[in-house]
Amino acid sequence: MSEQPGPQDPPGPDQPKPPELSGIDLARQALVAAKEQARARGAAAQQKKQARRGGGLRSGARADGRDPLPLGAAINRLITERGWETPAAVGGVMGRWPQLVGAEVAQHCEPQKYDEDARVLTVQCDSTAWATQLRLLAPTLVARLNEDLGHGSVKIIKVLGPGGPPRRYGSLRAPGSKGPGDTYG
């Protein structure tokens, strides 16, 4: 079948004889074979141990993806994976409001909510004068917020005036009454 002589075939007249191995060469060959057998036994033993322990990789001395993360890094990764960058940044603006608008404005105007879809920040002021002032400052404030949060994060600032007392219905009221259902006792 095969025309080339195999390792068991005796050498032909035109092929040279392989050199006879001396003691050192035989020892080297035996060492290489023993190392290969030990490596194979070690790999088989390691596979058996992993199968008994439930398989899978184990954490070692070097860092990998299964190691615990610091809390800040884990939260940043979660925010990035879920796409919460803008809401988290706006939440940071709510916390840093006095630094962004100044102490005097922050004393009289407070951010209430942020609509992510419309990109509208709603701010409530404690007087109509401050509401008017904030409406005049709104374009500058939008530019400052977009500089801090990223372009286009806030398009409009909706300014609300102060909330008044609850509306009283009717001209006659009993002192201390709480509303229309409070007629008896």
Side-chain angles (χ1 to χ4, degrees):
M1 295 188 174
S2 138
E3 296 179 19
Q4 295 184 7
Q8 270 66 11
D9 294 338
D14 53 342
Q15 287 184 342
K17 275 186 157 180
E20 293 288 324
L21 296 176
S22 66
I24 294 176
D25 293 330
L26 285 173
R28 283 187 186 142
Q29 217 175 27
L31 180 63
V32 168
K35 282 184 179 180
E36 287 177 10
Q37 289 174 353
R39 200 172 296 127
R41 280 194 311 269
Q46 185 69 20
Q47 287 175 350
K48 284 182 183 178
K49 281 183 186 177
Q50 285 182 353
R52 276 185 280 174
R53 285 191 221 150
L57 297 172
R58 298 285 180 212
S59 183
R62 300 209 182 359
D64 62 7
R66 298 167 292 137
D67 288 340
L69 293 173
L71 183 61
I75 289 174
N76 287 338
R77 190 168 95 184
L78 179 68
I79 287 171
T80 303
E81 286 174 357
R82 303 284 172 108
W84 295 341
E85 290 92 359
T86 302
V90 171
V93 164
M94 303 265 188
R96 294 180 295 126
W97 183 252
Q99 289 88 15
L100 292 171
V101 297
E104 189 177 5
V105 174
Q107 204 172 30
H108 298 283
C109 303
E110 179 181 332
Q112 297 295 313
K113 64 180 179 176
Y114 175 72
D115 183 8
E116 187 179 355
D117 297 330
R119 301 199 186 278
V120 175
L121 179 65
T122 305
V123 179
Q124 185 165 20
C125 299
D126 61 0
S127 70
T128 54
W130 275 105
T132 303
Q133 182 68 23
L134 194 64
R135 283 187 189 101
L136 294 172
L137 289 173
T140 308
L141 192 55
V142 166
R144 189 179 301 168
L145 289 171
N146 282 331
E147 183 180 302
D148 189 53
L149 299 173
H151 185 66
S153 296
V154 177
K155 290 184 180 177
I156 300 171
I157 293 181
K158 182 178 174 183
V159 180
L160 304 176
R167 171 129 179 146
R168 298 188 170 240
Y169 298 100
S171 57
L172 299 174
R173 302 289 300 160
S177 71
K178 296 180 184 168
D182 189 28
T183 52
Y184 299 108

